[in-house]
Amino acid sequence: LGMGALMGGGGIGGYMTESAMAEAELEAELEAQVDAQVDEGKKEDETVNIVLQTEEAPSIEAMKIFSGTANLQLAQEIAEELGVELGKLQIKTYADGEIGIQVHDNVRGKDIYIIQPTCPPGVNDNLMELILLVSTMRRASARKITAVIPYFGYARQDRKMQSRVPISAADVCRLLESMGVDRVVAVDLHCGQIQGFFGPRTPCDNLEGSVVALPHFAGLDLKSENTIVASPDAGGVHRAKHFRDRLKKRYGIDAGLAMIIKQRLRANAVERMDLVGNVEGCDVILVDDMIDTAGTLTKAASELTARGAKRVYAFATHGLFNGPAVSRISNSELEQVVVCNTVPLKPSALQCPKIKQLSTGKLLSEAISRIHFKQSVSALFQK
C-alpha cells in the first residue's frame, strides 16, 4: 500500500489498468475523428464558396428564343424587344398529318424560351407542336426550358361540372411537365388556380394583360363621375375590380363597378341577364378574359344600353372571334372592342372597324428578361 501511494496514479500500484488504457485510446480516436470531420466541413464550405463565386452570371448570349407556328408575329416582336434573333428551326407537316421538328441552332447549356400559344385554329396541333418543341430542346441538352404560352388552350375545362368528364386543363399541365418544361409563362389564364395544376418544381407566371389596355382607355377622356367598369358574368367580378383599381391608381380615374348575372341554356348560349349596379348616363367598360363567339358580350352591351349606358366599350385579353363573333360585334351597341395579340386576329376581325388589337410584345419580353436575369416578375405590375 505504501509503495502504491508513493508512486501515485490510478490503477494498482500507480499503473493504468487495461480497461483504463482502452478507454483512453477510444477517447483519443473519437477526438481525432471529430477533428477530421471539422476539417472536411471547412473544405466543403470553401468548395461551395468557390463554386458560388465562379458561377457565371446570366447573359443575353445564354438566352435563345424559339417560336412555333401559332403566333410567329408576336414571337418576332418579343425577340426584337429583347435585341436577339429568333432561333432557327424547321416545322413541317407530313402527308399523314404528323408534325416534324428540327432545330438548327446549338442549344446545349442554353436557357430556352419557346413562344407558342395553344390557340385556334388548330388548338391540338399547336399544343402538339409545343410538346414536341419542349421534348426536342430537352433531348438536345438545353439548360432550362420556359414555355411562354400567351393563350392557354383548354383553360376553360378547369373543373368537373358533371360526371365522367376530364379536367383537361390539368391534363395539359401534366403533359408539359412530363416533357420536361422548367417554367411556364401565361397571360390572363381563364382561372388563376390553373397555376396550381403544375407541381412546385414548375412555377407558372400568370401575367396581366390589362396593363397593356389601361393606357388606351385612359386616353379616351373618361371621367370618374360617369365611368363604370363592368363584368359580363359573376365569375369575372374580381378581374373587373382589379382593372378598376389599376385605372384609379395609375390614371386617377375612380370608376364605379357593376356586374351582369347571366343564366346559360348551354355553352355559348345565354337565356337572360340581370344587371347589378347603376349605369345610367355612364361610359361602361366591359372587362373579360376572352371573347369566343361574342354572344355574352353583345347581349351584355344591349342590356347596358337598355339600362341607360351612354357608351359601351369592351376589353378582353384574348380575341378568338369564332363563328358569328365579328358580325355580332359589327351589329352591336359596342363602341369599341379592345383585345391583345396573344391570338392572331382572323382577316374578318382585322377588317372590322370596331375591333382594335394591342401588342403584348413588350410585356412578354420584359417578363422573359426578368426571369432570365433572376429579377422580380411581380414588379412589372407595381410600376
Side-chain angles (χ1 to χ4, degrees), residues 74 77-78 81-82 207 212 341 359-369 380 383:
L74 175 59
E77 285 183 34
I78 293 169
E81 288 283 348
L82 290 167
L207 307 182
V212 175
N341 65 341
S359 176
T360 55
K362 190 170 183 180
L363 171 67
L364 286 166
S365 64
E366 194 165 349
I368 289 171
S369 176
L380 266 174
K383 291 181 180 179

Side-chain angles (χ1 to χ4, degrees), residues 13 74 90 136-137 144 163 169 224 237 250 271 287 332 339:
L74 175 59
Q90 183 181 10
T136 303
M137 301 302 175
K144 286 186 180 178
S163 301
S224 298
V237 173
R250 296 193 180 191
E271 181 181 14
V287 177
S332 71
V339 295

Side-chain angles (χ1 to χ4, degrees), residues 363-377:
L363 171 67
L364 286 166
S365 64
E366 194 165 349
I368 289 171
S369 176
R370 286 177 175 275
I371 291 167
H372 186 69
F373 292 103
K374 297 178 173 59
Q375 297 172 345
S376 170
V377 176

Side-chain angles (χ1 to χ4, degrees), residues 67-77 86 344:
S67 174
T69 60
N71 199 339
L72 194 58
Q73 185 177 352
L74 175 59
Q76 191 65 55
E77 285 183 34
L86 277 179

Side-chain angles (χ1 to χ4, degrees), residues 21-88:
M21 292 177 64
E23 287 178 7
E25 288 176 2
L26 181 61
E27 193 174 329
E29 187 177 345
L30 287 172
E31 287 180 0
Q33 288 178 0
V34 170
D35 291 340
Q37 288 176 358
V38 170
D39 292 339
E40 189 176 346
K42 288 180 179 178
K43 288 178 182 177
E44 286 180 358
D45 290 342
E46 290 174 2
T47 304
V48 170
N49 288 333
I50 291 169
V51 170
L52 289 173
Q53 289 171 7
T54 57
E55 185 180 355
E56 290 186 10
S59 64
I60 199 74
E61 289 77 17
M63 176 194 295
K64 284 280 188 180
I65 308 291
F66 290 90
S67 174
T69 60
N71 199 339
L72 194 58
Q73 185 177 352
L74 175 59
Q76 191 65 55
E77 285 183 34
I78 293 169
E80 288 174 4
E81 288 283 348
L82 290 167
V84 299
E85 291 186 0
L86 277 179
K88 296 179 177 62

Side-chain angles (χ1 to χ4, degrees), residues 146-351:
T146 300
V148 181
I149 312 175
Y151 174 80
F152 196 96
Y154 288 97
R156 285 178 282 184
Q157 299 184 49
D158 57 354
R159 60 195 182 279
K160 290 183 72 171
M161 297 296 289
Q162 53 188 324
S163 301
R164 296 176 296 280
V165 296
I167 305 177
S168 304
D171 296 333
V172 170
C173 295
R174 288 172 65 87
L175 271 171
L176 290 170
E177 231 176 342
S178 65
M179 283 296 102
V181 73
D182 293 298
R183 192 183 194 102
V184 173
V185 178
V187 181
D188 275 335
L189 290 166
H190 183 65
C191 179
Q193 289 88 329
I194 290 173
Q195 293 172 281
F197 291 158
F198 292 100
R201 295 183 180 179
T202 309
C204 177
D205 297 298
N206 186 22
L207 307 182
E208 299 171 17
S210 62
V211 298
V212 175
L214 287 171
H216 173 78
F217 285 103
L220 293 178
D221 194 30
L222 300 174
K223 306 296 181 184
S224 298
E225 58 272 12
N226 64 344
T227 301
I228 299 289
V229 176
S231 171
D233 57 43
V237 173
H238 175 74
R239 186 181 295 109
K241 183 178 182 299
H242 201 60
F243 187 93
R244 182 199 67 171
D245 293 343
R246 290 200 178 280
L247 201 59
K248 178 182 177 181
K249 183 178 179 181
R250 296 193 180 191
Y251 301 99
I253 302 172
D254 190 7
L257 189 66
M259 173 183 68
I260 292 173
I261 301 173
K262 62 186 179 184
Q263 298 181 20
R264 287 189 180 274
L265 286 171
R266 57 188 179 277
N268 296 326
V270 179
E271 181 181 14
R272 61 174 281 187
M273 289 186 164
D274 297 313
L275 176 66
V276 179
N278 182 22
V279 298
E280 190 172 353
C282 296
D283 294 327
V284 182
I285 306 172
L286 281 164
V287 177
D288 209 349
D289 64 320
M290 69 176 73
I291 300 171
D292 191 355
T293 59
T296 298
L297 187 70
T298 51
K299 283 194 176 183
S302 298
E303 183 70 22
L304 291 167
T305 304
R307 298 295 183 96
K310 187 169 64 175
R311 294 182 297 178
V312 181
Y313 298 93
F315 166 69
T317 305
H318 314 293
L320 305 180
F321 302 119
N322 292 317
V326 175
S327 62
R328 282 175 174 173
I329 289 169
S330 298
N331 300 321
S332 71
E333 289 84 355
L334 286 162
E335 192 86 11
Q336 188 181 57
V337 175
V338 180
V339 295
C340 296
N341 65 341
T342 54
V343 178
L345 283 186
K346 296 178 179 180
S348 58
L350 285 169
Q351 294 170 7

